[in-house]
Amino acid sequence: LWGAGGQALVLAELIQSSSLRLVLLVDNDATRQSPIEGIRIVHGVDGLDGWLRSNPGVAHAFGVAIGGRGGADRLGLHDVLVRRGLRPATFIHSRAFVAHDARLGAGVQVLANACVATRAVLGRQCIVNTAACTGYIDLVIAWGEWRY
């Protein structure tokens, strides 16, 4: 996960009940410590690149754990990580509802008790926050937006 604040804690809880495994946090704040026991943190692109060099040949997915209105930041980090050969994970909490005909972009986060209604279209790196709902037919949420 890129980001080691509150959104990382939310996603770490979600990951625990999924098929994914959290192995690393990356944060631009060089003073930040890992908030998750047993999970290593590296700092910035240089830290990530060093970690990737020491773990070659392993397929890694990523999440961008920057919540709130940080959509532009999420999108920029998405591109940085894709250029490094990583693939974006889509996060759907086990207690969320996503309609069968909803379309989710890469890296979308649908958190606990959230609802993505029928025919909704969410662009990459959107967050549907805890207990939020996207609305109904033909709703389009632009890339990197956040719903609460």
Side-chain angles (χ1 to χ4, degrees):
L1 292 177
W2 191 295
Q7 193 71 14
L9 295 172
V10 170
L11 291 178
E13 185 277 329
L14 186 158
I15 289 168
Q16 284 180 342
S17 63
S18 77
S19 62
L20 299 172
R21 185 169 61 97
L22 181 59
V23 297
L24 183 73
L25 295 173
V26 183
D27 200 279
N28 283 331
D29 180 351
T31 65
R32 187 169 293 224
Q33 301 292 313
S34 177
I36 303 167
E37 186 175 338
I39 301 298
R40 182 177 174 196
I41 188 168
V42 298
H43 298 99
V45 172
D46 291 340
L48 174 63
D49 287 343
W51 187 85
L52 289 171
R53 279 191 302 275
S54 68
N55 293 276
V58 179
H60 295 288
F62 71 85
V64 180
I66 299 173
R69 301 196 189 286
D73 293 335
R74 281 193 303 279
L75 291 171
L77 289 168
H78 176 103
D79 293 342
V80 165
L81 296 166
V82 166
R83 282 193 301 269
R84 282 162 173 74
L86 305 176
R87 62 181 171 75
T90 296
F91 299 95
I92 302 173
H93 198 282
S94 61
R95 290 190 310 272
F97 170 77
V98 177
H100 74 280
D101 58 352
R103 294 191 338 232
L104 306 182
V108 163
Q109 300 171 30
V110 183
L111 304 180
N113 299 316
C115 168
V116 179
T118 188
R119 295 172 56 183
V121 178
L122 279 64
R124 66 188 173 115
Q125 294 298 329
C126 289
I127 297 175
V128 182
N129 210 352
T130 304
C133 189
T134 61
Y136 53 92
I137 298 174
D138 293 331
L139 172 77
V140 176
I141 299 179
W143 292 359
E145 286 193 16
W146 180 63
R147 290 290 182 243
Y148 52 95

